[in-house]
């Protein structure tokens, strides 16, 4: 079956530091890959997605590249801000039931001023 | 445009009671999905509904859990005779109608945190 493994948290960084949150996956076929972000008290928001190998998703300074050879979709940002503090979820969908998203456990990021 | 609304945000029930969780999708959205997040776990798909129809309930526990999305009003996730193991965060998501039907581009609500004492 499908599964997503992401970096254990919590992650604590200083403002302007470089961020990497690792995500690897197991899936049948050719999945679509996602990063969702959940700010305190809010619902999950789609941050970025990639639908095929070597695609790069990007949004708000965040990037992730779909690496089929390593089955990875690591999230990166060059310079984090305090407002980036949130929980980040890696997810995938695949197969005929593409609406069934499979999520990782989430990684809590705290950015200190 | 208001986002996906869920209520209550926090719900406390004693063992054996019923829990009713409500989800109002975004305006114009006709597809609703429910996910459950157990402690220390990722979100797990439970059920996919369209108006008045259950399309896929493969992730729903076989007993005590039911879901509906009536023609009028919110979608309801109902848990009868709750047990401590039902304590979790329950998230609802919605998506607009499309030629492709259901979609992986889903908009999530803030979740309902259920605690069973």
């Amino acid at each position: 079956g499908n599964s997503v493994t992401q970096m254990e948290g919590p992650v604590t960084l200083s403002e302007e530091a470089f961020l990497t949150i690792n995500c690897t996956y197991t899936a049948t076929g050719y999945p679509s890959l996602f990063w969702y972000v959940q700010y305190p008290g809010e619902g999950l928001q789609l941050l970025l997605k990639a639908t095929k190998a070597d695609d790069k998703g990007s949004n708000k300074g965040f990037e992730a590249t779909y690496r089929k050879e390593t089955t990875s979709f690591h999230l990166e940002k060059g310079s984090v801000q305090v407002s980036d503090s949130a929980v980040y979820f890696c997810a995938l969908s695949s197969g005929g039931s593409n609406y069934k998203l499979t999520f990782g456990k989430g990684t809590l990021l705290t950015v200190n001023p | 445009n208001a986002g996906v609304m869920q209520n209550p945000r926090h719900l406390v029930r004693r063992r054996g009671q019923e829990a009713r969780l409500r989800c109002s999708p975004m305006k114009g959205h006709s597809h609703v999905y429910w996910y459950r997040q157990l402690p220390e776990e990722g979100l797990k798909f439970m059920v996919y509904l369209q108006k008045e129809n259950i399309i896929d309930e493969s992730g729903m526990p076989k007993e005590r859990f039911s879901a509906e999305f009536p023609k009028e009003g919110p979608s309801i996730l109902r848990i009868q005779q709750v047990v401590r193991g039902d304590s979790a965060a329950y998230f609802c998501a919605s998506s607009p109608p499309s030629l492709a039907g259901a979609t992986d581009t889903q908009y999530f609500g803030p979740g309902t945190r259920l605690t069973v004492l």
Side-chain angles (χ1 to χ4, degrees):
Chain A
N2 297 339
S3 68
V4 174
T5 303
Q6 67 180 98
M7 184 173 168
E8 294 275 337
V11 173
T12 303
L13 296 173
S14 297
E15 209 164 19
E16 299 183 4
F18 184 85
L19 169 71
T20 299
I21 301 178
N22 290 338
C23 172
T24 57
Y25 66 89
T26 302
T28 54
Y30 301 94
S32 294
L33 302 174
F34 309 83
W35 277 100
Y36 278 84
V37 58
Q38 185 181 29
Y39 299 104
E42 299 184 12
L44 280 73
Q45 301 175 23
L46 179 63
L47 181 60
L48 52 86
K49 69 183 282 188
T51 58
K52 62 182 187 297
D54 300 325
D55 267 2
K56 178 185 283 188
S58 62
N59 186 25
K60 300 182 181 179
F62 291 89
E63 293 183 339
T65 300
Y66 189 143
R67 301 284 188 203
K68 190 166 177 63
E69 64 275 14
T70 55
T71 61
S72 65
F73 194 54
H74 305 320
L75 182 69
E76 296 181 336
K77 187 174 184 182
S79 176
V80 294
Q81 305 300 313
V82 172
S83 57
D84 294 327
S85 298
V87 180
Y88 292 81
F89 293 90
C90 186
L92 68 82
S93 71
S94 75
S97 304
N98 66 330
Y99 49 82
K100 285 185 188 177
L101 296 173
T102 300
F103 285 86
K105 294 183 181 181
T107 302
L108 173 62
L109 170 66
T110 301
V111 180
N112 295 319
Chain B
N1 190 7
V4 178
M5 310 288 286
Q6 288 189 250
N7 68 82
R9 296 290 302 274
H10 299 274
L11 181 61
V12 179
R13 285 287 179 265
R14 297 191 180 279
R15 281 178 295 169
Q17 291 184 318
E18 179 179 286
R20 278 178 170 250
L21 288 62
R22 293 174 183 76
C23 169
S24 296
M26 288 180 70
K27 187 175 181 180
H29 286 195
S30 55
H31 302 266
V32 166
Y33 316 84
W34 285 93
Y35 292 80
R36 177 167 67 171
Q37 185 181 28
L38 294 168
E40 309 300 321
E41 298 287 332
L43 282 73
K44 298 276 196 298
F45 170 83
M46 299 180 75
V47 62
Y48 158 43
L49 310 104
Q50 295 180 20
K51 285 285 187 181
E52 300 184 278
N53 286 304
I54 297 174
I55 307 302
D56 183 346
E57 56 182 347
S58 58
M60 289 276 272
K62 293 292 185 281
E63 297 177 347
R64 302 187 296 107
F65 284 71
S66 62
E68 63 177 8
F69 188 18
K71 187 176 181 181
E72 301 291 337
S75 176
I76 306 286
L77 180 68
R78 182 180 176 205
I79 312 173
Q80 295 179 292
Q81 299 174 320
V82 295
V83 301
R84 289 214 173 112
D86 296 332
S87 294
Y90 292 83
F91 290 91
C92 168
S94 70
S95 65
S98 73
L99 291 176
T103 174
D104 55 21
T105 303
Q106 298 172 14
Y107 299 81
F108 282 79
T112 294
R113 268 77 178 168
L114 172 66
T115 301
V116 179
L117 301 178

